[in-house]
Amino acid sequence: MSSPIRKSKRRASSGHLLLVYMLALALIPSLRLAWSESLSPVLAGPAVNHDRGAFAPRHHQKPMHHRNRNLGSRTQIKPLSRLGDRQCDLKGATLSLLPSCNGRSSTSSLPLKVPRHRRRGNGNSLGHSSFVPVPVRIKAGVYRSHSSSHLAPRAQKEPLPSSSSSSTSPSSSAALTSSTSSSSSSSSSLHSSSSSATQSASQEGGSHHQVSSPPAHHDDRSLHHHKLDAVLHARKPTPALGDASYTHIEREEKKIELICDTPEWHSLLEHARNGFPHLRELMADEERVNGLTVEHDGIIVDFSRQKMTQETLQLLMRLSERADLRRKIQDMADGKLTNPTEARAVLHMALRADKTDVFKTQIQQEDGKLIQKDVVPEVHNVLERIEDFAERVRNGEWRGARGAILKNVIVVGIGGSYLATDFVSQALAMDPNASKNARERGVLRFLSNVDPVDASQSVKGLEADETLVIVISKTFTTSETMLNAKTLKNWLIQHTGNETAANRHVVAVTASEKNAIDFGVAPENVFEIWDWVGGRYSVSSAVGFLPLSLQYGAESAREFLAGAREMDRHFLCAPPERNLPIVLGLLAIWQTNFQGFNTRALIAYSQALAKFAPHVQQLAMESNGKSVTAEGAPLPYSSGEIEFGEPGTNAQHSFFQLLHQGRVVPVDFIGFSRSQSPIEVPGEEVANHDELMANFFAQPDALAFGETEEQLRSQGVPEELIPHKVMHGDRPSTIILIDRALDAHTAGQLLALYEHRVAVQGFIWDINSFDQYGVELGKNLGRTVRNQIIKSRTEGSPVEGFNPSTKQLLNRYLKLKEEPSQK
């Protein structure tokens, strides 16, 4: 028998154990947060300044489910459907593209080790493998903390741990010890302890925290991949966007599903981390080159100069499955609320639909009842009205206030109201068919900037009697557009001597007929647009169709719509691995989130496409420049790229120095096998177009292959110049070669190709690519400044309510404006 003393000791020991157990339970939240902040921040991409993701041991992976936000149903994700090469039948109540185009399901033969799920609270050591929690999408659009009605505070991100060590580092243990020394430790103390531990670890020089220098020769691993390793393993705080996002633990607790938490995303991360040979070696594999080339209707997309393999493409396709890409595309075509923040459908494809196609959206009747309405008949009604009006203007039936034929057209609009139309107009200017139709016409100009210089240039050399003005504004209240419209209206009145000149010289494209009529536009000359069309997607509507029909005739404008419609059908029906917009969109995801590139250059070897890059710039950056998901959760990874471009060969003599020897910038090269306006100079060995295309084919290879020291020495380059002339190469690009000359049909295809590419990116990132709240703040502040200027000018009111800098500058501006200019 045990003595009473031993029994007392056992009871005391049990009491101590119980106390320790209760204390541990109380500390679990702090321990888990410390673990999240110090040891397993979520790495969602390689670039330190934008992407994060997660590393953890592999455990059981539960099947992922997806909540359809439109239908409210919870369905398990299915494999991609193979839709076949044939065009979809767009007739019927819905497009029914998944999977009715073919009915076969797609399974890839590529074997993959799927990272497993880390159970909550598991504190195993870090390893190379990535993990995925089981994500559950929440319904609310705003994520709130337990203690506040405002947005939950965003955790400060800590430096990334290396994924190359399989054991917990001393610094990590220190962070845990420090963070758990008191049950009342705050989040800020956790950040502080973790950060200091990280700094000490860097000073200790642990092998898994050090980044090796690039070797002298880049045979097996390119310079870019050593830079990528530095990004992946650098232990630096993640600035800007990274600081605003939730940690993985916070996302798990809030039941927030993000694409970066999926095994497919982490498989791509690990795949990118393994690195690739130099493009010199990759491009020697003919089978790989063929596997990374897709073609549709004479449009060849060769992306073999990307840092990727066929396995990369398969992994990207699986990511698209996980993101439920095809369902989202289907929902957009079916008229569901693809723009949730504005509660709108996204139906720009309906603008170029055939009469027999059906695109429906939900509308509210006067009695409040919601019904499904096919918008295609309404679209074609507007197009037919435009054709009739354009023909009457072109043949002289509709004339100006004093009887003159209206030869010239000025389009007043801003952003999407003019950029795409300007691109298409220049693309058609030298097309033989379109230019023939424009032979008897004057000029087509665009007034977008509120700068008075732009207004003066738009009317320079024009006769008011022969000029028609098109005002494009969805609300007919946009301040810049309406000021420009009033400026031109005043110009018309002054030069025609007719106070009602607007009735004959001004037409409108708007969703607000009343405001247009009040402005002086004849009711029959108001052409409708709809709220389910975003400005940057509106060129297929009256926004573009009206000025193009006036300048080049309705036949050319119709051919442009036909080209866009053909690409729409390809986008909706082609299997993903041969679907041009899907492939381009996934390549952009690969470059941005797994290769660390934040910019992209668009170089068209066609002067006729001079305005294409500015249009794509707005299309992509206004659509995908977002920091939260479509449901309002902060993004822990980058979305959107910085887009820029110029026509080749102008671009080569502008910024290609940087592309070859400075920053690595992925490039899209666009070229045509024929010229719109071929020229052959007698005595010259090559035609002008051949000279142009020689550069088109040379530049991607120069970026990919570069030029080594050995090659330069063999050319006799002086030794002291060799470091300055070496080009490491290994710089990615995509070639888009079109086997004909640029024409209206091809312009429509290019437009739709890049529209859908942008949508694919947004669907993968789970952002809303169809709103643009980022432009609102500056506009609102501009109105405040405008009101101050009015008060100061008319009432002499002092400048008040601004920060010291703005106040000082405004006072200086107001003073200088009043003083006579010194010449």
Side-chain angles (χ1 to χ4, degrees), residues 22 25 84 112 227 247 253 331 359 445 516 541 582 595 691 767-768 786:
M22 294 176 65
L25 287 177
L112 286 178
K227 292 179 180 178
T247 64
E253 289 174 345
D331 285 351
F359 285 88
R445 292 179 180 173
S541 71
I582 289 179
Q595 293 287 287
E691 182 70 27
I767 61 176
N768 184 0
R786 179 176 180 269

Side-chain angles (χ1 to χ4, degrees), residues 11 95 169 192 282 315 354 438 472 498 530 534 542 613 630 749 762 815:
R11 284 195 296 271
L95 294 177
S169 66
S192 176
L282 290 175
L315 290 170
D354 192 84
I472 301 176
N498 190 328
W530 305 270
Q749 288 180 308
K815 180 181 178 181

Side-chain angles (χ1 to χ4, degrees), residues 284-557:
D285 184 349
E286 186 174 352
E287 182 179 352
R288 172 187 168 277
V289 171
N290 292 334
L292 299 182
T293 302
V294 291
E295 180 178 355
H296 168 71
D297 193 30
I299 302 175
I300 303 165
V301 177
D302 180 347
F303 51 102
S304 60
R305 289 169 185 76
Q306 295 290 337
K307 294 289 290 184
M308 63 186 297
T309 63
Q310 288 164 289
E311 180 185 4
T312 314
L313 184 60
Q314 288 289 341
L315 290 170
L316 288 168
M317 290 299 165
R318 294 188 180 188
L319 182 71
S320 75
E321 291 184 52
R322 177 58 59 142
D324 212 2
L325 175 63
R326 296 315 299 258
R327 180 195 61 81
K328 293 174 181 177
I329 294 171
Q330 179 70 63
D331 285 351
M332 179 172 69
D334 285 345
K336 294 180 180 177
L337 299 184
T338 306
N339 178 353
T341 56
E342 297 176 318
R344 293 173 179 172
V346 176
L347 286 175
H348 48 275
M349 286 188 286
L351 297 172
R352 54 252 190 166
D354 192 84
K355 276 188 175 183
T356 58
D357 298 337
V358 175
F359 285 88
K360 289 186 176 182
T361 188
Q362 195 175 64
I363 64 169
Q364 189 172 25
Q365 293 180 314
E366 293 182 0
D367 59 2
K369 184 179 179 181
L370 294 175
I371 63 168
Q372 291 288 321
K373 179 182 179 181
D374 181 11
V375 301
V376 174
E378 198 170 2
V379 168
H380 277 270
N381 177 55
V382 173
L383 295 180
E384 288 166 4
R385 288 181 54 223
I386 289 174
E387 285 182 321
D388 177 69
F389 175 75
E391 182 58 29
R392 287 190 291 128
V393 171
R394 288 170 60 85
N395 64 23
E397 183 179 340
W398 180 276
R399 296 182 177 233
R402 295 198 292 191
I405 295 177
L406 299 171
K407 296 180 178 180
N408 307 305
V409 176
I410 302 177
V411 177
V412 181
I414 196 166
S417 296
Y418 96 94
L419 279 168
T421 308
D422 196 9
F423 137 60
V424 180
S425 175
Q426 291 208 23
L428 299 186
M430 295 303 294
D431 172 64
N433 292 329
S435 61
K436 179 181 177 180
N437 293 335
R439 190 171 298 161
E440 302 298 325
R441 301 294 299 163
V443 298
L444 172 58
R445 292 179 180 173
F446 297 87
L447 173 56
S448 59
N449 200 331
V450 75
D451 187 334
V453 172
D454 199 14
S456 298
Q457 288 178 338
S458 70
V459 300
K460 186 176 181 180
L462 300 185
E463 294 290 337
D465 286 322
E466 299 176 345
T467 302
L468 180 71
V469 175
I470 305 174
V471 182
I472 301 176
S473 174
K474 186 174 287 188
T475 62
F476 233 70
T477 59
T478 305
S479 59
E480 302 97 326
T481 298
M482 295 317 299
L483 182 56
N484 278 335
K486 291 173 184 176
T487 301
L488 290 194
K489 180 181 177 181
N490 187 59
W491 174 75
L492 288 168
I493 291 173
Q494 287 181 352
H495 287 78
T496 62
N498 190 328
E499 290 293 329
T500 62
N503 191 263
R504 302 294 298 182
H505 289 263
V506 181
V507 298
V509 178
T510 183
S512 180
E513 182 180 8
K514 180 180 181 302
N515 288 346
I517 294 173
D518 291 344
F519 185 81
V521 179
E524 64 270 23
N525 292 338
V526 178
F527 302 98
E528 187 179 8
I529 52 176
W530 305 270
D531 63 2
W532 41 262
V533 183
R536 55 193 175 276
Y537 297 91
S538 66
V539 65
S540 302
S541 71
V543 168
F545 193 75
L546 176 57
L548 294 175
S549 295
L550 285 165
Q551 184 70 10
Y552 300 109
E555 179 184 352
S556 294

Side-chain angles (χ1 to χ4, degrees), residues 418-419 602 609-619 644-646:
Y418 96 94
L419 279 168
L602 180 59
L609 290 182
K611 294 295 185 178
F612 187 50
H615 164 62
V616 173
Q617 186 177 61
Q618 190 220 7
L619 177 68
F644 69 98
E646 276 289 322

